Amino acid sequence: MPKHKTTTKVIHGLENVVLVLIVIATIYAIGEEIFLVIANRSVSVGDLLLMFIYLEVLAMVHSFFESGKVPVRMPLYIGIVALARYLILDMKNMDDWRIMTISVASLIMAITVFIIRFGHVKFPYPKAPDSEN
């Protein structure tokens, strides 16, 4: 077996190990969050947004397992939700400039997602010659 094929297999094996570790850590974090919600006997918007972030992480790992690629949009979605959660939880302690900066950062990420989606619709990737579709 050529050396580059062995190296490629090792790298793919390491990717899979790290992805499994990410899934385990994310499931643990979800369990911790659910435990806190039950212990506190209340659910806040921050709790829900945090669980949504965890869900997006799992979706991103699933996408990578399925296709071997991570769509650029997924980390952007996670970033948008994380910034929204940060604003919701800490808005009382922020000055106006910080609120505006975080809002503009969220808007920039949302515009980026829109541009990427528009590009995929207007300029789709060419189909692979061995593709069945």
Side-chain angles (χ1 to χ4, degrees):
M1 182 180 281
K3 189 174 184 174
H4 74 279
K5 285 189 178 188
T6 303
T7 304
T8 302
K9 283 188 176 192
V10 168
I11 290 171
H12 284 298
L14 288 173
E15 284 176 347
N16 289 336
V17 168
V18 172
L19 288 170
V20 168
L21 290 174
I22 290 170
V23 168
I24 291 169
T26 305
I27 291 171
Y28 179 81
I30 291 169
E32 237 181 13
E33 186 63 25
I34 290 171
F35 177 79
L36 286 173
V37 164
I38 292 169
N40 294 335
R41 292 184 169 186
S42 70
V43 180
S44 69
V45 174
D47 297 327
L48 295 174
L49 289 173
L50 186 58
M51 285 192 264
F52 184 72
I53 290 171
Y54 294 145
L55 182 64
E56 282 294 319
V57 169
L58 290 176
M60 192 166 51
V61 170
H62 177 262
S63 176
F64 189 84
F65 270 128
E66 291 277 313
S67 68
K69 301 173 190 168
V70 174
V72 173
R73 292 172 305 174
M74 294 186 115
L76 289 171
Y77 295 148
I78 293 169
I80 292 167
V81 174
L83 287 174
R85 182 178 184 275
Y86 178 55
L87 272 177
I88 289 167
L89 294 180
D90 225 17
M91 188 178 284
K92 292 177 185 171
N93 300 325
M94 292 183 199
D95 60 24
D96 294 342
W97 282 108
R98 180 168 291 231
I99 292 170
M100 286 300 296
T101 303
I102 293 168
S103 300
V104 168
S106 298
L107 181 62
I108 289 170
M109 284 194 280
I111 290 169
T112 303
V113 169
F114 176 76
I115 291 169
I116 291 169
R117 289 293 300 145
F118 180 79
H120 284 169
V121 170
K122 275 302 227 193
F123 310 104
Y125 293 119
K127 293 191 188 252
D130 61 306
S131 176
E132 293 179 13
N133 294 341

